[in-house]
Amino acid sequence: MPVTENALPPYEVGRLAGAVLDSVGSVLVGKRDSLELVLAGILAGGHVLLEDLPGLGKTLTARSFAQSLGLDFRRLQFTPDLLPADVTGSFLYDQRKGDFAFRAGPVFTNMLLADEINRTPPKTQAALLEAMQEKQVSVEGVTYRLDPPFHVLATANPIEYEGTYPLPEAQLDRFLIRVSFGYPTAEEEWEVLRRRMSRRQEEAFLQPVVDARMLQAMQAALESITVEDSIGRYIVSLTAATREHPSVLVGSSPRGSLALLLLARARAAMAGRDFVVPEDVKDVAVPALAHRITLRPEMWLRRVDPAFVVQEVLTNVPAPASGALPTYARHD
């Protein structure tokens, strides 16, 4: 997104991001770190894959962010019989006009929840590729632009493979970041129950903290975040190291480097800084790179996880010492 005169200063992005996280955190208990990653992916203009076991708040996360960010939200349940037209829309005959009219599909929204995306065939999965990458949809030779902002939050179950279609590498690569939540602690789980009893209803509704226009201004602010050459080269070194790791068959592409850059800028802005530090890169390295790595077949037998490979890369690649200084007067 190009810099515009409507772009917010970093300290304001940090303040609003904190307010959004507090709002979403009032519903999702004990997931602050994971929620920060999801918001970083949205601020960076990307799409987020939520991969975790059932019942850990993936769908609730998407709905809560849509409400807090003031975005139009649609949920599409991916099933084996879902057709591409069910995602993008199709032309239907209008008897009153005597002509075919385009009926827009659920992809025409600000935030699309692609629920259980790995349960639909590759042909339907591919219907999302153009929308995710080009922010447009082509139907019957006609191209329709998607109004910004547009984000896909997809969910997937990492252990149940019966009746599923694993996402191909090309589509996994379209997701800027992959986030998992994990089980809550006993105290956090009790807090979930306590809040459910307190609100006396199943659904939790959040008031918007920002709107679509303000979100775009927050996203535009990322273009003013300074990235030193040493940190840029550090990002490149991390990505290149995934290609040379002995456990890896196919390492991350340059799109992984770009993801690290965008997400590190988002983390800096969320902290109210106008410059990136090495810790910003380290915080997003595993969720940004692990899903872009294909391990050698024998590594699966040894239970080697792509996240472990990225952790090893972080340990072995020396991080630079950043000498950047803030260029703004912080407003608290």
Side-chain angles (χ1 to χ4, degrees):
M1 181 179 295
V3 177
T4 69
E5 59 182 11
N6 296 324
L8 297 175
Y11 64 80
E12 185 66 13
V13 175
R15 184 186 69 81
L16 291 174
V20 170
L21 289 170
D22 290 342
S23 175
V24 176
S26 67
V27 176
L28 288 120
V29 180
K31 308 295 184 184
R32 185 77 176 200
D33 291 344
S34 297
L35 296 178
E36 287 180 354
L37 291 172
V38 174
L39 183 56
I42 294 172
L43 289 179
H47 311 289
V48 182
L49 177 61
L50 303 173
E51 187 176 86
D52 217 324
L53 302 173
L56 295 183
K58 300 185 297 295
T59 302
L60 181 59
T61 296
R63 184 181 297 111
S64 298
F65 269 112
Q67 291 176 352
S68 293
L69 294 171
L71 301 179
D72 182 37
F73 174 75
R74 294 190 184 182
R75 177 182 181 270
L76 183 60
Q77 184 66 47
F78 279 65
T79 57
D81 60 348
L82 196 72
L83 299 175
D86 297 326
V87 178
T88 61
S90 59
F91 282 93
L92 297 178
Y93 186 72
D94 189 333
Q95 292 184 344
R96 290 177 299 178
K97 296 181 179 179
D99 197 3
F100 286 89
F102 179 67
R103 184 187 65 179
V107 75
F108 287 86
T109 186
N110 294 137
M111 183 173 289
L112 174 68
L113 171 59
D115 213 0
E116 296 187 291
I117 191 173
N118 57 336
R119 288 200 175 278
T120 199
K123 184 176 182 179
T124 305
Q125 291 177 9
L128 269 180
L129 282 178
E130 183 183 12
M132 292 172 67
Q133 187 64 29
E134 306 296 336
K135 306 297 176 67
Q136 66 182 29
V137 168
S138 297
V139 180
E140 300 291 338
V142 182
T143 299
Y144 300 90
R145 297 292 301 177
L146 299 175
D147 293 332
F150 172 71
H151 301 279
V152 174
L153 268 65
T155 69
N157 185 341
I159 63 169
E160 187 179 348
Y161 296 112
E162 184 176 354
T164 64
Y165 304 84
L167 294 178
E169 285 75 9
Q171 185 157 359
L172 275 175
D173 209 30
R174 294 304 195 280
F175 287 100
L176 190 67
I177 191 170
R178 182 178 65 180
V179 180
S180 298
F181 293 126
Y183 284 113
T185 64
E187 197 62 32
E188 291 169 349
E189 194 164 354
W190 160 240
E191 181 64 16
V192 172
L193 302 183
R194 190 191 67 78
R195 293 186 187 184
R196 169 60 182 86
M197 292 186 291
S198 176
R199 66 174 178 264
R200 297 177 178 270
Q201 62 181 15
E202 184 63 31
E203 295 294 331
F205 298 96
L206 301 178
Q207 293 298 320
V209 177
V210 298
D211 57 18
R213 185 180 297 249
M214 184 65 71
L215 174 60
Q216 289 180 277
M218 294 170 69
Q219 293 172 331
L222 268 60
E223 295 299 334
S224 64
I225 304 297
T226 301
V227 181
E228 288 185 326
D229 289 351
S230 60
I231 293 181
R233 292 185 180 277
Y234 176 55
I235 289 173
V236 172
S237 296
L238 287 175
T239 308
T242 65
R243 305 166 198 155
E244 301 165 359
H245 195 281
S247 301
V248 173
L249 181 64
V250 179
S252 175
S253 69
R255 188 176 279 139
S257 297
L258 183 60
L260 282 179
L261 173 67
L262 297 173
L263 290 166
R265 276 180 152 181
R267 293 287 289 188
M270 290 168 63
R273 284 184 275 106
D274 64 352
F275 62 96
V276 171
V277 297
E279 285 69 25
D280 294 325
V281 179
K282 294 177 183 179
D283 288 345
V284 299
V286 172
L289 295 181
H291 65 290
R292 306 175 194 274
I293 294 174
T294 302
L295 297 177
R296 296 185 180 278
E298 62 270 22
M299 292 300 108
W300 293 106
L301 298 177
R302 300 179 188 177
R303 297 185 181 275
V304 175
D305 188 88
F308 174 74
V309 172
V310 180
Q311 291 285 8
E312 277 198 342
V313 166
L314 285 171
T315 301
N316 295 332
V317 176
S322 176
L325 295 174
T327 59
Y328 62 88
R330 188 180 183 90
H331 293 179
D332 294 322

